[in-house]
Amino acid sequence: MVDQSDVGRSFAPVIAYAEPRRLRYFLDALNEQNRIYREERAAHDRCCSAIPIPPTYLFCLQMLDNESPYEFLAELQIEPARVLHGEQSFSYHEPVVVGDTLTIVSTVADVAVKAAGALTRVVIESNFRNQHDVHVADTLCTIMVRNG
């Protein structure tokens, strides 16, 4: 069972590639029509050197390119059936664009018992670095684990 002793624990790094075809599927699924995510010229004119990825797409990259996307649950001895989604947050330091190769390192940032022991809150922090070793983003993923 996960507890405070797991804070600081890291998992196997994930290498993810921001490739255009999968991004288009994501945009189509969301019906995202903003041209900066679809047309290089619009991206150049408005913000970036190449087509940027939408903010929440980092989680897709982290899951799609991970051979064991639920490794952290197994390593923390958490049953997937007991997991509730808490929240997600994103901090971008630099643009992430189509063509980037990201190295993602995830670490347990916090563990806290809540609701008189009925729940355990687990926060996983992920650090994203691009192919130039530039720290481009961080994400926080909070899950709640039902105890008992």
Side-chain angles (χ1 to χ4, degrees):
M1 186 61 176
V2 62
D3 61 30
Q4 275 290 317
S5 68
D6 291 303
V7 173
R9 184 178 187 160
S10 293
F11 306 101
V14 174
I15 306 298
Y17 176 63
E19 67 101 2
R21 188 174 353 170
R22 285 196 315 199
L23 177 59
R24 276 195 301 274
Y25 293 141
F26 179 81
L27 296 170
D28 290 344
L30 297 175
N31 196 26
E32 174 59 65
Q33 299 299 317
N34 189 328
R35 292 177 46 227
I36 69 167
Y37 298 126
R38 294 180 181 268
E39 300 172 19
E40 197 150 331
R41 182 178 190 99
H44 282 259
D45 290 347
R46 294 191 44 207
C47 69
C48 305
S49 61
I51 294 174
I53 66 166
T56 60
Y57 193 63
L58 286 178
F59 275 117
C60 293
L61 289 173
Q62 188 172 11
M63 297 297 280
L64 291 171
D65 287 330
N66 189 339
E67 290 181 24
S68 302
Y70 300 105
E71 169 197 24
F72 74 99
L73 294 176
E75 288 197 20
L76 296 174
Q77 299 178 357
I78 297 172
E79 293 178 43
R82 295 189 169 277
V83 173
L84 304 168
H85 174 72
E87 67 179 342
Q88 300 169 322
S89 66
F90 307 84
S91 298
Y92 278 83
H93 311 297
E94 297 289 334
V96 176
V97 297
V98 168
D100 277 352
T101 299
L102 303 170
T103 300
I104 308 161
V105 176
S106 297
T107 304
V108 177
D110 190 32
V111 175
V113 175
K114 299 290 185 181
L119 299 168
T120 300
R121 183 189 72 208
V122 180
V123 179
I124 306 293
E125 181 175 24
S126 297
N127 170 295
F128 292 72
R129 300 187 84 79
N130 70 12
Q131 66 275 13
H132 305 294
D133 200 32
V134 174
H135 182 196
V136 293
D138 293 303
T139 63
L140 291 177
C141 176
T142 301
I143 62 170
M144 301 302 291
V145 181
R146 291 181 290 123
N147 297 322

